[in-house]
Amino acid sequence: MPALVLLGAQWGDEGKGKATDLLGGSVDYVVRYQGGNNAGHTVVVGDQKYALHLLPSGILTPECTPVIGNGVVVDPSVLFSELNGLGERGVDTSKLLISGNAHIITPYNVTVDKVTERFLGKRKIGTTGRGIGPTYADKINRVGIRIQDLYDESILTQKVEAALDVKNQLLTKLYNRRAIEAGQVVEELLTYADRLKPYVADTTLILNDALDDDKVVLFEGGQGTLLDIDHGTYPFVTSSNPTAGGACTGAGVGPTKISRVIGILKAYTTRVGAGPFPTELFDEDGEALRRIGGERGVTTGRDRRCGWFDAVIARYATRVNGLTDFFLTKLDVLTGWEEIPVCVAYEIDGKRVEELPYSQTDFHHAKPVYENLPGWSEDITKAKTFEDLPKNAQAYVKALEDMSGAPISAIGVGPGRDETIEINSFI
Ligand code: GDP
Ligand code: IMO
Ligand code: MG
């Protein structure tokens, strides 16, 4: 012990990469437990900026062992290009461990993701096009390919053939595309086997042994609570469980081992892709948040949709994750507004609602009820303690904490490692 989970409390891009990296120095293992290279985690170390998609953010801390858990979906070509990129910048990636049970994003999964989105037309999800949904669908349908299959050519061939049987029918008869040849896929997958081998391990055993040895293990979520397949704004979600329970299934560690669940919470709200977003702004305030916050996707380069802070969402994240703490990020982006609206409740069909409605139809109709909090104009990027913040910024943080249901234990005032106010220690 202790095991900590660090996850997104909104729709992703809350600053999980920075928060994970910050804790990296005091952590022995950093584990990704779900998602794949749909994630885009930015870490700024000194004057160096890193964009990580599949690798855990702990890879940038030499003392830390990065782990890709069984719940992750792995595109080997992306993995290698990320490893190569870091290697060229002098980052040692040799400690990486990958679960043999993790599923592989095959080239046909990527094709199916893109073709399905095109076919959905106006009703598309706005996926990252990385093959995430189809790979998890294959896993649940029991026709997925796992990393360990690369080491048994005959099994691999049988599995790829089984997966392609149905897919080729779909591709040729419904989507009007060419069939994919199983032999070619097997050949491509086998080219990854040797290079992957040294990383492949029984990560469940290693992590449980580490916890028994009192090592510190940090589970780093991708995406966010509202993108969770069960608890998010379905169907406008990703295909995995970024919420806290996902850390257990996605890494093979029991819930009794987890002592802290930290929700990363942006001081305003953003979302990429389609789906409901009650506090979304379509005016110059939204444009200003996008510009000042640099709200452009790390993975797809799409502009992020921006809006004011939504306390209903934050309360919901506290509930479904059992959050013990929040790490509030990007407070500096709000500097300069005279007043900052915060959504404290929704109005749905004329009624005030304090909690996230479980009906998606209601959620689509939710109108934010705002309270205006006084803003501040002082530069806060050098603040080191809570008391260094202007009074109105302190009051904004306190108000968010009261509304969100868990203590705010750290505050981000800039993208760098040192641009953080630590209030309560996480470890
Ligand atoms: P993630 O997907 O949750 O890791 O978040 P992203 O990396 O996609 O997006 C967060 C962005 O905000 C990145 O560009 C970070 O460098 C940046 N960032 C993180 N924390 C802060 C902060 O406190 N202030 C500012 N200004 N930027 C931050
Ligand atoms: P990080 O880890 C923000 C969104 C996509 C789309 C939906 C489904 O950087 O916070 P998918 O490709 O997963 O099937 O797409 O989920 N999405 C993200 N949005 N941050 C992410 O990751 C995301 N990963 C997926 O935009 O709406
Ligand atoms: Mg991101």
Side-chain angles (χ1 to χ4, degrees):
M1 296 270 236
L4 299 87
V5 182
L6 190 157
L7 52 81
Q10 294 150 322
W11 276 286
D13 302 324
E14 298 90 349
K16 299 175 291 292
K18 172 189 156 166
T20 303
D21 171 67
L22 186 74
L23 300 183
S26 4
V27 162
D28 299 296
Y29 293 82
V30 173
V31 188
R32 276 284 305 269
Y33 57 88
Q34 48 65 239
N37 58 302
N38 48 348
H41 298 172
T42 317
V43 181
V44 179
V45 185
D47 60 356
Q48 294 286 310
K49 187 168 168 177
Y50 299 89
L52 302 168
H53 296 284
L54 182 57
L55 294 169
S57 303
I59 197 130
L60 300 173
T61 308
E63 304 78 42
C64 188
T65 302
V67 180
I68 293 180
N70 56 277
V72 176
V73 287
V74 177
D75 184 329
S77 65
V78 172
L79 176 73
F80 291 140
S81 75
E82 216 166 307
L83 288 173
N84 290 346
L86 289 178
E88 281 159 19
R89 296 173 72 177
V91 177
D92 175 15
T93 57
S94 61
K95 285 166 93 175
L96 175 70
L97 300 174
I98 305 176
S99 165
N101 286 353
H103 281 247
I104 296 180
I105 302 178
T106 62
Y108 52 80
N109 292 138
V110 179
T111 304
V112 170
D113 192 0
K114 291 181 176 154
V115 172
T116 312
E117 281 282 276
R118 219 170 297 146
F119 206 71
L120 281 170
K122 276 211 304 253
R123 289 165 297 166
K124 71 177 181 187
I125 308 294
T127 73
T128 57
R130 301 300 193 262
I132 305 296
T135 306
Y136 279 114
D138 279 2
K139 173 176 173 175
I140 299 299
N141 277 332
R142 293 159 294 187
V143 290
I145 312 296
R146 301 199 289 181
I147 301 249
Q148 57 175 287
D149 298 328
L150 297 180
Y151 305 102
D152 187 330
E153 189 174 341
S154 145
I155 290 281
L156 178 67
T157 307
Q158 287 174 42
K159 289 190 172 180
V160 171
E161 281 170 357
L164 279 175
D165 262 356
V166 178
K167 275 188 197 69
N168 275 335
Q169 299 289 328
L170 273 178
L171 284 172
T172 54
K173 297 197 175 132
L174 187 64
Y175 295 132
N176 222 1
R177 304 273 298 210
R178 250 190 307 216
I180 294 170
E181 224 262 290
Q184 266 175 17
V185 173
V186 170
E187 208 174 293
E188 177 179 337
L189 292 179
L190 285 174
T191 61
Y192 303 125
D194 285 347
R195 187 164 173 203
L196 267 174
K197 191 98 194 235
Y199 301 114
V200 181
D202 184 349
T203 52
T204 298
L205 181 64
I206 293 168
L207 291 173
N208 279 284
D209 281 351
L211 287 167
D212 290 343
D213 268 357
D214 269 344
K215 298 274 193 276
V216 183
V217 178
L218 177 68
F219 298 94
E220 178 191 18
Q223 294 74 54
T225 301
L226 275 299
L227 287 172
D228 187 280
I229 187 82
D230 285 283
H231 301 293
T233 47
Y234 190 89
F236 302 103
V237 293
T238 192
S239 299
S240 66
N241 288 116
T243 48
C248 297
T249 48
V253 166
T256 48
K257 300 279 169 71
I258 291 168
S259 48
R260 207 107 179 232
V261 185
I262 305 157
I264 312 301
L265 188 66
K266 211 179 272 195
Y268 50 98
T269 315
T270 62
R271 167 162 212 176
V272 196
F277 178 1
T279 63
E280 182 169 16
L281 294 167
F282 300 95
D283 57 6
E284 61 272 22
D285 280 333
E287 205 39 65
L289 286 174
R290 192 172 301 117
R291 190 183 66 250
I292 302 166
E295 297 297 352
R296 181 177 284 265
V298 186
T299 300
T300 57
R302 290 178 288 181
D303 273 354
R304 293 174 182 155
R305 301 157 63 192
C306 296
W308 298 122
F309 184 82
D310 185 336
V312 183
I313 297 277
R315 273 199 292 282
Y316 179 71
T318 305
R319 186 203 326 161
V320 297
N321 293 299
L323 295 181
T324 56
D325 304 80
F326 279 114
F327 188 139
L328 186 71
T329 60
K330 302 192 105 163
L331 186 65
D332 53 300
V333 174
L334 294 179
T335 300
W337 265 274
E338 219 163 281
E339 284 198 316
I340 308 170
V342 169
C343 167
V344 295
Y346 299 143
E347 192 192 299
I348 303 174
D349 300 331
K351 285 202 196 81
R352 185 182 164 108
V353 174
E354 307 281 337
E355 295 293 334
L356 197 91
Y358 72 85
S359 150
Q360 281 300 300
T361 307
D362 286 349
F363 191 55
H364 275 268
H365 296 158
K367 292 199 186 69
V369 177
Y370 285 118
E371 233 171 59
N372 286 331
L373 302 180
W376 61 92
S377 54
E378 301 89 333
D379 174 21
I380 62 167
T381 56
K382 306 282 176 305
K384 292 281 169 255
T385 66
F386 187 68
E387 289 66 37
D388 291 343
L389 292 173
K391 285 281 168 283
N392 285 351
Q394 291 186 17
Y396 184 81
V397 172
K398 279 287 161 208
L400 263 46
E401 182 173 86
D402 288 346
M403 291 174 206
S404 304
I408 292 175
S409 295
I411 304 168
V413 291
R417 258 183 196 170
D418 50 348
E419 289 169 312
T420 308
I421 297 172
E422 292 188 67
I423 299 171
N424 305 311
S425 152
F426 286 111
I427 295 158

